[in-house]
Amino acid sequence: QPGDDARKLVNVAVILLYVVGGLDFIGVPILIAYGVFAPEMLKMNSATASMPAMTMPGFSSMVRGLFIFLACISLLQGVLKMIGATKLHTGGRGAWGWGLAAAIACCLELECYLACVVPLTLGIITIVLLSKAGVRPYLAGRRAGRAGGDGAIS
């Protein structure tokens, strides 16, 4: 079938976006834990070393705020990637655009808590998959042909 390759490419893109979105959700509690414990660990390390303790006013608050900010960014990126994957999976209006936006968000990881290369690589692969000939017309055809169906990609 002509649309079979496009269907497979879309399914792979959906899986990749779900994986990277899941990694973002896993990273949120990790970043919050860093925000809670990192200032205290830095104080302990500087107190045991030959350096003076971190006594800069507001240092702990600044470090906590940075990690909480990164946790919020990670949460927002995870939501964007899950919406993009779900839109690609169900078809519908703007599916290709949401999938592409989610793939681009994979390449723009600000927080690097697990493996920086994994989201970047999977984002690039997803962009390539969505840019293949036949994928965009396949998604548009699915949208036009879903008048009576549930829209799920089989």
Side-chain angles (χ1 to χ4, degrees), residues 27-39 64 67-72:
V28 170
I30 293 171
L31 289 167
I32 291 173
Y34 281 164
V36 170
F37 298 114
R64 279 191 180 99
F67 282 110
I68 298 301
F69 172 74
L70 290 176
C72 291

Side-chain angles (χ1 to χ4, degrees), residues 14-88:
V14 167
I15 291 168
L16 294 178
L17 289 176
Y18 277 135
V19 166
V20 179
L23 288 176
D24 282 335
F25 288 133
I26 289 171
V28 170
I30 293 171
L31 289 167
I32 291 173
Y34 281 164
V36 170
F37 298 114
E40 305 309 320
M41 292 188 313
L42 287 172
K43 286 180 185 175
M44 289 188 317
N45 284 342
S46 63
T48 58
S50 60
M51 304 177 344
M54 298 282 182
T55 57
M56 185 172 90
F59 175 75
S60 294
S61 299
M62 185 174 59
V63 171
R64 279 191 180 99
L66 173 69
F67 282 110
I68 298 301
F69 172 74
L70 290 176
C72 291
I73 295 293
S74 182
L75 181 66
L76 291 174
Q77 284 186 338
V79 168
L80 172 67
K81 292 168 191 172
M82 290 297 175
I83 290 172
T86 304
K87 284 281 206 175
L88 280 176

Side-chain angles (χ1 to χ4, degrees), residues 9-10 13-14 17 84 88 95-104 123-137 139:
L9 293 173
V10 169
V14 167
L17 289 176
L88 280 176
W96 186 82
W98 275 100
L100 187 63
I104 291 170
I124 291 170
I125 291 170
T126 305
I127 291 170
V128 169
L129 291 176
L130 292 176
S131 299
K132 291 280 190 178
V135 170
R136 195 168 183 180
L139 289 170

